[in-house]
């Protein structure tokens, strides 16, 4: 990961766009939650070293894949 902030932010934007394209319902709400998690991770990554966020990223990706 070259820059964790940019990486998380791009995933947050992608997840938000995906949520907007889904019909209203439970899956859309879950996708919006995933987008919020990525956004919070991006905000946190802006203040800390990049290497510490690898486990957070892996956990968020596994949660998104389970959707």
């Amino acid at each position: 990961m070259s820059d964790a902030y940019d990486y998380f932010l791009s995933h947050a934007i992608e997840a938000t766009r995906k949520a907007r394209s889904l019909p209203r319902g439970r899956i859309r709400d879950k996708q919006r939650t995933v987008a919020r998690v990525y956004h919070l991770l991006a905000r946190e990554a802006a203040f800390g070293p990049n290497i510490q966020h690898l486990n957070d990223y892996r956990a968020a990706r596994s949660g998104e894949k389970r959707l």
Side-chain angles (χ1 to χ4, degrees):
M1 292 172 109
S2 61
D3 190 7
Y5 172 76
D6 292 331
Y7 204 65
F8 285 135
L9 193 60
S10 68
H11 279 290
I13 292 169
E14 179 183 332
T16 302
R17 287 180 181 160
K18 184 176 178 182
R20 287 179 180 166
S21 69
L22 292 171
R24 293 184 187 263
R26 186 174 172 97
I27 299 297
R28 181 179 181 170
D29 293 340
K30 286 183 178 182
Q31 187 64 38
R32 289 181 68 210
T33 302
V34 167
R36 281 189 221 119
V37 167
Y38 278 129
H39 184 71
L40 289 173
L41 287 173
R43 290 176 58 192
E44 184 180 314
F47 297 110
N50 292 337
I51 197 73
Q52 293 180 353
H53 300 288
L54 286 174
N55 291 332
D56 296 336
Y57 170 73
R58 289 181 185 129
R61 285 300 283 181
S62 68
E64 187 176 9
K65 287 181 182 180
R66 279 185 261 161
L67 271 176

